[in-house]
Amino acid sequence: MPEVTSAAAATPAPRGFTLRWLDRIERIGNRLPDPLTIFVILGAVVLVASWLAAAAGVSVQHPGTGATISATNLLSAEGLRRIATELVPNFAAFPPLGTVLVAMIGIGVAERSGLVAAALKGLVAAVPQSLLTATLVFAGVMSSMAADAGYVVLTPLGAVLFAGIGRHPIAGLAAAFAGVSGGFSANLLLTSLDPLLAGLTQPAARIVDPAYVVQPTANYYFMLVSVVLVVAVGTFVTGRFVEPRLGTWSGNGADEGGEASLGTLEPRERRGLLVAGLAFLAVLGVAAAMTLPADGVLRSPSGGLEPFFSSLVPLILVAFFVPGLAYGVVAQTIRSDKTVAKMTGDTMATMGPYIVLAFVAAQFVAWFGWSNLGLIFAVQGAELLQASGLAGIALLIGFVAISGGINLFIGSASAKWAIMAPVFVPMLMLLGYSPETVQATYRVGDSITNIITPLLPYFPIIVAFARRYDPQAGLGTLISAMLPYSIALAIAWVVLLVVWISLGIPLGPDAPVHYLPQGQAS
């Protein structure tokens, strides 16, 4: 593993106020215990807080159903029984665990056969150096088409790409993470998130207008333009703040996967890439044949795409494994089935620390949900904004801040929106804003803090990726690297939102900005 000095000490040049401030955040963050210990502590805090909140009779009314949400005491006999009996199911059902481990089987073969390094060499040769960062951020934004796969696939590749061309790998990881997580709501195409949110917005809108329809394309125009914004901001922040602060990369461009420094492609690598490309196209062809026909294997009986979306992780495994195998055979890095077995085994061996961390994180996430504390925080935050007396654009900006704040405690976009939509959609409709505008505002707030919350389920795996290059990397390293992205995205996205609403530009097809209380959209 290459040696690298800590981010704060890598550059001897004089540092301005902003870089010194980020250095201080990193030092404070890295003085915290290991992420494993932090999740243990957080779990203990949830247990005690649930007991105190239940004893105090803390409760709120669900704005959508009217049901009373009370704090649940996890230290009661029933709570302790649930903790003991569901310890293993919590771990087995932890969403990122299966996604990461299954995808890494295919990625491990592609990585260790040399396909990833060869493909990155080709990318470096094809894309001008000045556009590499923008290309990486853009790829991160577009990765939301494959749900959460970008966290597992693209962030480590961003680090490999930067290390291979002599740039700091953690800067590459940060740029990719900014695109994947900070730009999760933006895309050139509709993703599974669009119909999911629209399905929650429509019932909330019908509290005011029983005939109102919210389409999955409700925010398409706004999110399409947001792609440009996220790419521009991500590129600027990487070059202006992140890389200067991290300093010069002193490693040799190789990590535990064995990637060599990127250079020119050798003939055997070119042949391997050609065959791997054909194999990848074959995999895509098979996937398309199973998905596009109305009666396809990856279609539901009603013709829906739910089976396809549920199969994305296995498809990613195959999409990396088959081309990786093809490349290895042609490039002669794979000579037998034993080589493939060793590649997959070695890859899983590197995931040991993450598996242990996932076990502890899974318990914390489950306990936090059982306690109802997250729901209570969300409802109380909504009530706080309602009582603030803000109006117009100021109210929307306040809504962005509340959404971003709640996102630090509840990671799921749909879970938060299920609580917030019945409160804010009717309220803002009566103030003249369409449900589509309210949904777009929520998506901005939800996105800007994704990259700085340790409670994001994939945050631990990003820290693990960073430690492949800097063994001393901790929560402070990642948060200090991502905070400039979060602040810059918040400023730029809010400005775009305000300008968009002020000009009255439709947010999507048949998705106006303004709404008239009598039911006629302007």
Side-chain angles (χ1 to χ4, degrees):
M1 179 179 296
E3 291 187 11
V4 59
T5 56
S6 68
T11 303
R15 303 166 77 76
F17 171 78
T18 301
L19 298 187
R20 293 198 306 271
W21 176 61
L22 292 172
D23 290 344
R24 189 171 297 112
I25 291 175
E26 179 180 8
R27 287 194 297 270
I28 294 172
N30 285 346
R31 287 194 188 113
L32 295 173
D34 187 87
L36 179 70
T37 308
I38 288 176
F39 275 107
V40 171
I41 294 172
L42 289 174
V45 169
V46 167
L47 295 180
V48 174
S50 72
W51 169 58
L52 294 174
V58 175
S59 65
V60 295
Q61 188 177 45
H62 194 292
T65 65
T68 298
I69 303 171
S70 302
T72 300
N73 179 11
L74 298 181
L75 292 179
S76 65
E78 182 180 352
L80 292 173
R81 188 181 306 114
R82 187 177 188 185
I83 289 172
T85 57
E86 299 190 31
L87 198 74
V88 175
N90 289 343
F91 177 49
F94 190 49
L97 181 66
T99 300
V100 170
L101 295 185
V102 172
M104 286 302 292
I105 295 173
I107 294 171
V109 173
E111 183 181 48
R112 294 172 187 277
S113 68
L115 172 59
V116 170
L120 292 177
K121 287 181 185 179
L123 176 65
V124 171
V127 177
Q129 289 280 330
S130 59
L131 296 179
L132 273 178
T133 303
T135 301
L136 182 58
V137 177
F138 174 73
V141 173
M142 294 301 295
S143 72
S144 61
M145 291 187 298
D148 294 344
Y151 292 107
V152 183
V153 177
L154 200 66
T155 48
L157 293 188
V160 173
L161 174 60
F162 270 44
I165 59 175
R167 297 169 66 178
H168 205 293
I170 293 182
L173 179 145
F177 186 33
V180 173
S181 191
F184 190 79
S185 280
N187 209 289
L188 298 182
L189 304 171
L190 295 180
T191 69
S192 58
L193 185 63
D194 292 283
L196 183 62
L197 294 182
L200 296 170
T201 305
Q202 181 170 289
R206 289 183 173 181
I207 296 174
V208 173
D209 185 346
Y212 204 95
V213 176
V214 179
Q215 301 290 351
T217 55
N219 299 145
Y220 178 65
Y221 297 159
F222 181 73
M223 290 306 162
L224 189 150
V225 174
S226 294
V227 172
V228 179
L229 179 142
V230 173
V231 172
V233 169
T235 303
F236 170 76
V237 170
T238 302
R240 176 65 178 82
F241 297 104
V242 177
E243 284 198 271
R245 177 173 170 272
L246 290 169
T248 303
W249 169 238
S250 60
N252 59 11
D255 71 1
E256 293 174 357
E259 297 92 347
S261 298
L262 302 183
T264 58
L265 287 168
E266 299 177 6
R268 64 180 180 84
E269 293 176 320
R270 294 183 184 277
R271 292 192 299 270
L273 276 179
L274 175 61
V275 175
L278 294 175
F280 180 70
L281 291 176
V283 171
L284 288 184
V286 172
M290 298 171 69
T291 306
L292 296 180
D295 59 348
V297 174
L298 295 182
R299 292 272 194 154
S300 66
S302 62
L305 291 172
E306 294 84 1
F308 168 74
F309 288 117
S310 298
S311 303
L312 279 173
V313 173
L315 289 174
I316 290 170
L317 183 156
V318 175
F320 276 90
F321 183 90
V322 173
L325 182 63
Y327 175 89
V329 171
V330 173
Q332 299 181 345
T333 57
I334 294 178
R335 299 183 180 276
S336 70
D337 62 309
K338 293 184 177 61
T339 306
V340 178
K342 186 176 187 303
M343 288 177 175
T344 56
D346 289 346
T347 300
M348 288 298 102
T350 66
M351 301 305 296
Y354 172 71
I355 294 172
V356 177
L357 182 60
F359 172 76
V360 178
Q363 309 312 319
F364 163 74
V365 171
W367 298 350
F368 194 60
W370 297 346
S371 70
N372 285 333
L373 293 177
L375 295 177
I376 292 170
F377 289 155
V379 174
Q380 290 181 337
E383 292 174 349
L384 177 66
L385 184 57
Q386 275 187 301
S388 66
L390 297 175
I393 294 295
L395 179 59
L396 292 178
I397 295 175
F399 183 34
V400 170
I402 290 290
S403 301
I406 292 175
N407 189 44
L408 297 174
F409 298 97
I410 304 178
S412 170
S414 58
K416 289 190 297 293
W417 192 227
I419 298 167
M420 300 175 72
V423 175
F424 290 105
V425 171
M427 180 177 72
L428 290 169
M429 284 177 72
L430 295 176
L431 292 175
Y433 293 107
S434 71
E436 293 86 351
T437 298
V438 186
Q439 180 178 289
T441 304
Y442 164 74
R443 294 177 76 167
V444 171
D446 180 64
S447 296
I448 57 180
T449 55
N450 267 344
I451 50 181
I452 58 172
T453 171
L455 300 188
L456 178 75
Y458 290 96
F459 209 82
I461 189 64
I462 307 302
V463 174
F465 288 146
R467 284 181 172 173
R468 299 174 71 176
Y469 299 92
D470 182 359
Q472 305 304 315
L475 290 177
T477 303
L478 189 56
I479 291 175
S480 64
M482 302 313 300
L483 191 58
Y485 294 103
S486 183
I487 295 173
L489 282 173
I491 295 171
W493 228 334
V494 167
V495 169
L496 175 64
L497 181 69
V498 169
V499 171
W500 199 290
I501 292 173
S502 299
L503 296 178
I505 303 171
L507 294 150
D510 299 318
V513 164
H514 299 291
Y515 174 82
L516 300 180
Q518 63 266 32
Q520 297 178 351
S522 64

